[in-house]
């Protein structure tokens, strides 16, 4: 897989760490500073292998998004329009 990443230093560090968890980094380019309205952001080329057999999916314990809802209960409490 090949990707061009764009972001701040912290964003690039986080993205590279997350992608490294999915596979093996083959090549990581130099961070190139961007200019103009993108000053303070960088471009980074990343090439990695991804093992399609092992997909990383968050478990409910590590899920950091919104909470799961009980759709049946929500439908039962719904009022007609």
């Amino acid at each position: 897989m090949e990707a061009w990443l764009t972001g701040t230093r912290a964003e690039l560090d986080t993205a590279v760490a997350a992608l490294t968890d999915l596979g093996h980094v083959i090549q990581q380019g130099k961070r190139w500073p961007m200019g103009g309205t993108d000053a303070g952001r960088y471009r980074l080329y990343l090439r990695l292998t991804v093992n399609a057999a092992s997909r990383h999916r968050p478990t409910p314990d590590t899920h950091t998004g919104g909470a799961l809802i009980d759709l049946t209960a929500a439908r039962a409490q719904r009022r007609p329009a």
Side-chain angles (χ1 to χ4, degrees):
M1 179 176 123
E2 297 179 57
W4 277 101
L5 305 175
T6 305
T8 63
R9 288 182 185 268
E11 290 169 337
L12 291 177
D13 289 342
T14 302
V16 170
L19 290 170
T20 301
D21 286 346
L22 296 174
H24 175 72
V25 175
I26 297 171
Q27 179 184 358
Q28 183 173 336
K30 292 166 76 175
R31 293 180 185 194
W32 291 96
M34 300 177 73
T37 58
D38 286 320
R41 294 169 43 97
Y42 298 83
R43 242 185 349 236
L44 174 68
Y45 174 77
L46 191 65
R47 200 167 158 202
L48 59 139
T49 59
V50 178
N51 183 359
S54 63
R55 295 180 183 199
H56 175 74
R57 294 182 187 231
T59 61
D61 297 356
T62 61
H63 183 69
T64 57
L68 295 176
I69 62 170
D70 181 354
L71 289 176
T72 304
R75 287 182 185 122
Q77 294 175 2
R78 184 173 49 191
R79 295 184 202 156

